[in-house]
Amino acid sequence: MLKIHNRVLLLLVILLVVAGAALPFINFAPNRLVSGEPVALSQLPAHAGLLLTLPVLILAFLVLLPCRSFPLFITLIIGELLFITILWVMGLTATQFAQQGSTLARTSPGSGSWLSLTLCLLLCADAINRLTPKALWRLLVNLQIWIVPVALLWSGYFSDLSLLKEYANRQDVFDDALTRHLALLLGTLFPALVIGVPLGVFCYARPGWQSSVFSVLNIIQTVPSVALFGLLIAPLAGLVKFLPWLGSMGVSGIGVAPAIIALVLYALLPLVRGVVAGLQHVPRNIIESAEGMGMSRWQIFWQAEVPLALPVLLRSLRVVCVQTIGMTVIAALIGAGGFGAIIFQGLLSSALDLVLLGVIPVIALAVILDAFFKLFISLLEEKQP
């Protein structure tokens, strides 16, 4: 009787089969404003279907093998090859459709393509996590998955895909949105750290204040982001009217100022909690040993407590970064700019490719920052006793 050793891989293979059989692989539209006609995988040339089917069959066989190094390595290789093959077929199909249609025609990946690509990445990530516990190796192996796709992108192989056509038409807008999004992120992190870290240290040193401080921060966190952005418009507009010099500095009821204020307020709860939790995480015997060595209170804080609390603080900072990247999208509703402006413009014009042009970089920024924070935290923890 056959025994299934890798249930995660089995589930992913089943979903890959469903995505390929039941969902459209490509959408072809006469222009960017029309949803277009779905093209199933079965409608593509036979060699394309074979190239995509063969890796799935191999993965289905690997489900039956024990989860050891060699089968996991083969799983990783096949998953990566399938990921690259899907991208290659997408680019090839888009080129063929572009040669047959007009210059206004748009070829975009279908839901089956997006789901299959996501499943391939999950499959590879699962194999990598099982192969090595080292954060650095995990990051490096995950990065090498993108070498061929980035090379294809750089070569212009995907230039006939509608998403790349949107980028070519709006490259300046995209670059400005990226700059503004990063500026809002950095503009949020600096004041959040300046306020949140001292407030967290204060709450740690004065436990009686923790309940009151966290109650206020929890209330702020429960306010919907759109509502908080809206609530800040009137006070800031009135403040600028009372102090006109603030207007000359760029402060107004809409735009960057209310966005940063709201994002900083949202960042305080995880940041303050992280500082308090990190300092409470420091073993009491280490503090007593430092006191026995004659170290002053400040020396104990900076040389013993802070280094040991740093991993927990960085975890909370990681949450703040990812949260801020996502919430900055909503800030576009009050004129803060960033990728949210592209997303909402696409929603208003019913242009899915324009929406994706804003969504994909936001996801990429969040994933990249999260990965590097995880790596740094892991390296930091390895150095700790």
Side-chain angles (χ1 to χ4, degrees), residues 239-323:
L239 187 62
V240 171
K241 187 175 181 180
F242 182 72
L243 300 172
W245 58 271
L246 289 175
S248 62
M249 296 177 62
V251 178
S252 64
I254 59 174
V256 174
I260 288 181
I261 292 173
L263 292 172
V264 169
L265 291 174
Y266 281 123
L268 288 179
L269 179 62
L271 202 54
V272 174
R273 281 196 183 277
V275 173
V276 174
L279 292 173
Q280 290 176 342
H281 179 73
V282 178
R284 183 62 191 170
N285 60 341
I286 292 180
I287 298 176
E288 292 174 352
S289 299
E291 291 173 346
M293 294 171 61
M295 297 176 67
S296 66
R297 187 68 191 91
W298 279 106
Q299 287 177 321
I300 294 173
F301 178 75
W302 287 109
Q303 299 179 26
E305 292 181 304
V306 170
L308 293 175
L310 195 56
V312 180
L313 173 59
L314 288 176
R315 285 191 179 92
S316 64
L317 187 59
R318 186 187 82 187
V319 172
V320 169
C321 287
V322 174
Q323 171 185 284

Side-chain angles (χ1 to χ4, degrees), residues 5-79:
H5 291 273
N6 194 334
R7 297 182 183 275
V8 174
L9 180 58
L10 174 63
L11 175 61
L12 294 174
V13 169
I14 292 173
L15 292 175
L16 278 170
V17 173
V18 172
L23 299 176
F25 187 79
I26 288 289
N27 289 320
F28 180 74
N31 58 67
R32 65 188 290 268
L33 299 179
V34 180
S35 58
E37 297 181 359
V39 178
L41 185 60
S42 58
Q43 296 175 266
L44 298 180
H47 67 276
L50 180 62
L51 286 174
L52 295 174
T53 303
L54 186 59
V56 176
L57 294 176
I58 297 174
L59 290 172
F61 172 74
L62 291 171
V63 169
L64 305 175
L65 300 182
C67 296
R68 295 173 183 167
S69 297
F70 183 72
L72 289 173
F73 178 74
I74 298 299
T75 301
L76 173 61
I77 296 299
I78 298 300

